[in-house]
Amino acid sequence: EPDYYGVYVNIGFQYIVLYEKHKKTNYLFFAKENLEKAIKLNDKAYDAYGYLGKVFLDSYDYDNAIINLKKSINLLPDPNRYYGDFSDTYFDLASAYYNKDMYQEAIDAIQKSLKVKPDAPDAILLLGACYAYTGNKEKSAEQYEKLKELDSEEALKLKDAIDKEFKSRIKERLE
């Protein structure tokens, strides 16, 4: 058994990578196990909490994802700085909020993510969808225009989400 938390963080991260490649949920179990060992050795390990949040997000356990991602953010030395692969913490937090229909919280988190990576198509897509679901057609359309310049495929996904949401709202009003 290693006595340095970083070993467990690295092993946990490698299991996350394997999960993303092969989509086998047992990799999430092993990732969680190693990340929890890392936290046991160092309860200030922001990277371990962030990756653990990602594991919960991928496991559809949004409550625990939010708890761990927020712990990670609170422990970051500088929340506005880019931390390589770890920079997606705010995006993951926004995704967890989005999946719980907590759109305003998702918007707040995704805006912080975009401060770090302003041209991230997946973040712009999520922000546009959140605006659509909160009824802000103007802001969702702005995100669509930004996305169109960066990634036309992602822009089409956002356009579909916007159209679906606003057609649904019109239908509700007519009934």
Side-chain angles (χ1 to χ4, degrees), residues 20-117:
E20 289 174 351
K21 183 175 183 180
H22 302 288
K23 298 299 181 200
K24 293 184 179 179
T25 55
N26 61 321
Y27 289 133
L28 293 176
F29 170 80
F30 294 124
K32 180 178 177 277
E33 184 178 68
N34 280 282
L35 294 165
E36 287 173 341
K37 286 179 183 178
I39 290 167
K40 197 175 233 181
L41 289 171
N42 179 358
D43 67 349
K44 304 282 188 248
Y46 64 87
D47 47 355
Y49 284 111
Y51 292 136
L52 187 57
K54 173 84 171 130
V55 167
F56 284 120
L57 181 64
D58 289 341
S59 302
Y60 308 103
D61 182 348
Y62 304 120
D63 291 327
N64 279 314
I66 290 167
I67 289 166
N68 283 281
L69 292 164
K70 286 173 79 173
K71 277 185 190 176
S72 174
I73 288 166
N74 289 334
L75 291 169
L76 282 173
D78 179 359
N80 297 312
R81 191 174 148 233
Y82 180 82
Y83 286 93
D85 290 336
F86 190 68
S87 67
D88 295 328
T89 309
Y90 283 115
F91 177 79
D92 290 342
L93 181 60
S95 297
Y97 282 135
Y98 174 85
N99 281 294
K100 288 185 58 73
D101 299 332
M102 299 171 70
Y103 301 119
Q104 188 54 55
E105 291 86 347
I107 289 168
D108 295 342
I110 205 70
Q111 286 174 333
K112 291 177 181 169
S113 175
L114 286 166
K115 283 183 183 176
V116 177
K117 292 167 75 174

